[in-house]
Amino acid sequence: MTLVQSVEELQKLLLLSKSKAKKIGFVPTMGALHAGHLSLVKKCIEENDVCVVSIFVNPTQFNDATDLEKYPRTLDADRLLLEKEGAQIIFAPSVKEVYPVADNRIFDFGLIDKVMEGKHRPGHFNGVAQVVSRLFDIVKPDRAYFGEKDFQQIAIIKAMVKQLNLEVAIETVPIMRETSGLAMSSRNERLSSEQRKTASLINEVLQKSSTTNLSVEETIDFVTKSINANKDLSVEYFEIVDGGSLQSITNWKDTSYAVGCITVFCGEVRLIDNITYKKI
Ligand code: AMP
């Protein structure tokens, strides 16, 4: 496995593979890797000749300076995990390397970034589109891998790929969870062991809500109240949306693909999760 930090060095390495018609798979991450990331890496290794994993905490997607500052950075440990998994290249660039000049592009994703994460984290998806398009331009992968934990992000990436006419195939991987059901996240590192236990209630309640015969409105009420009943958890939003348009539905009959997306604060830590209620 090779760790590269410069675009030039990475492109030199990739040129060699591309000249031999090797398929390049790419997993963009912000590091602090866990089994969720590694499930993307596994799939990438299986389906491509070369697996490139980027580790880059992208400043343009953080709308909160403290969140950016507190984001865990664990390159040495990440490197060991990726080596064990069998990834061929880690790309861990500096901010200057990714953005030699400031990226002032403003993307227009219509309604899909006006809701949920887009609404609560202004500018977040614009920053995601900036960094992912920039990384795609550097790596020029055949396939790129994203986790369903960031459900809305996948829709944004697919829209961006379409808008920019990119040739990369977007592959998705299911949410990886702790045994407790808590969705794995680099942010879980910031939870105390007590908070980790408490946060597992999020998935527990979502699962329970999918076994009831409640209406959409009652489901929203049930999930929100059950989670907020715990004094250490606070729901920022819970929406049930059409999985394609990401717009809220009011009746189960409104769509053949219904997904519940939630964000919950556990102390200062912002956790996201989702559940597919219906997919036909
Ligand atoms: P991040 O480092 O948080 O930007 O995540 C990098 C990629 O890993 C994104 O595509 C995430 O959706 C994915 N990912 C993060 N956590 C999980 C998880 N628990 N299960 C599956 N994929 C995940």
Side-chain angles (χ1 to χ4, degrees):
M1 192 183 63
T2 319
L3 170 71
V4 294
Q5 292 181 300
S6 82
V7 171
E8 199 185 333
E9 203 185 333
L10 177 70
Q11 289 183 329
K12 245 189 226 157
L13 269 178
L14 290 176
L15 206 64
L16 200 69
S17 300
K18 284 175 186 166
S19 69
K20 294 181 194 154
K22 300 214 176 205
K23 291 285 176 207
I24 311 291
F26 178 45
V27 183
T29 82
M30 297 203 298
L33 302 182
H34 49 67
H37 295 109
L38 297 181
S39 66
L40 273 67
V41 173
K42 267 194 194 97
K43 193 167 185 222
C44 178
I45 293 172
E46 272 165 29
E47 297 179 351
N48 301 277
D49 301 305
V50 178
C51 168
V52 181
V53 180
S54 65
I55 295 180
F56 178 65
V57 182
N58 172 41
T60 75
Q61 74 188 68
F62 283 82
N63 55 326
D64 175 345
T66 317
D67 194 22
L68 171 63
E69 188 195 313
K70 291 203 170 159
Y71 202 86
R73 288 159 172 89
T74 58
L75 185 58
D76 289 340
D78 292 348
R79 198 174 165 165
L80 289 176
L81 286 173
L82 291 173
E83 179 121 59
K84 205 164 149 216
E85 208 57 62
Q88 283 84 0
I89 302 175
I90 305 182
F91 179 47
S94 65
V95 174
K96 254 284 162 275
E97 201 62 30
V98 175
Y99 302 113
V101 289
D103 190 339
N104 295 318
R105 286 175 298 165
I106 304 286
F107 289 83
D108 181 0
F109 295 117
L111 293 177
I112 59 170
D113 74 343
K114 306 291 179 293
V115 294
M116 302 192 289
E117 288 300 281
K119 185 167 153 193
H120 288 87
R121 299 182 70 188
H124 169 66
F125 285 127
N126 200 64
V128 168
Q130 286 175 343
V131 75
V132 175
S133 62
R134 181 81 188 113
L135 291 170
F136 280 0
D137 190 42
I138 294 168
V139 179
K140 299 197 172 51
D142 296 286
R143 302 185 188 92
Y145 295 80
F146 293 87
E148 286 169 9
K149 179 171 154 279
D150 298 277
F151 187 76
Q152 194 173 4
Q153 174 169 277
I154 293 173
I156 299 287
I157 301 293
K158 286 184 174 167
M160 180 200 82
V161 164
K162 208 167 170 188
Q163 273 181 28
L164 301 179
N165 262 315
L166 306 179
E167 284 189 17
V168 56
I170 302 303
E171 308 289 343
T172 61
V173 177
I175 303 177
M176 194 81 160
R177 299 181 178 280
E178 312 267 359
T179 347
S180 69
L182 174 64
M184 288 183 176
S185 164
S186 308
R187 289 193 165 87
N188 294 353
E189 296 300 309
R190 291 173 53 203
L191 298 173
S192 66
S193 52
E194 204 49 49
Q195 284 177 316
R196 269 191 189 230
K197 272 189 218 146
T198 309
S200 66
L201 186 72
I202 302 166
N203 179 245
E204 203 180 295
V205 170
L206 289 178
Q207 292 303 328
K208 212 178 207 173
S209 73
S210 70
T211 62
T212 62
N213 280 320
L214 299 174
S215 68
V216 169
E217 197 185 333
E218 288 163 346
T219 305
I220 293 173
D221 202 50
F222 169 77
V223 168
T224 311
K225 285 191 178 145
S226 308
I227 294 177
N228 282 341
N230 187 301
K231 66 173 178 33
D232 298 318
L233 297 176
S234 167
V235 175
E236 184 179 45
Y237 68 80
F238 175 58
E239 290 188 28
I240 299 179
V241 300
D242 171 89
S245 69
L246 300 187
Q247 304 309 298
S248 283
I249 57 164
T250 50
N251 193 307
W252 296 116
K253 287 191 190 133
D254 289 351
T255 179
S256 54
Y257 184 18
V259 182
C261 298
I262 194 160
T263 294
V264 179
F265 276 97
C266 181
E268 283 183 356
V269 185
R270 191 171 180 277
L271 301 169
I272 66 171
D273 204 343
N274 62 75
I275 182 169
T276 299
Y277 284 114
K278 177 176 169 187
K279 193 171 186 183
I280 301 169

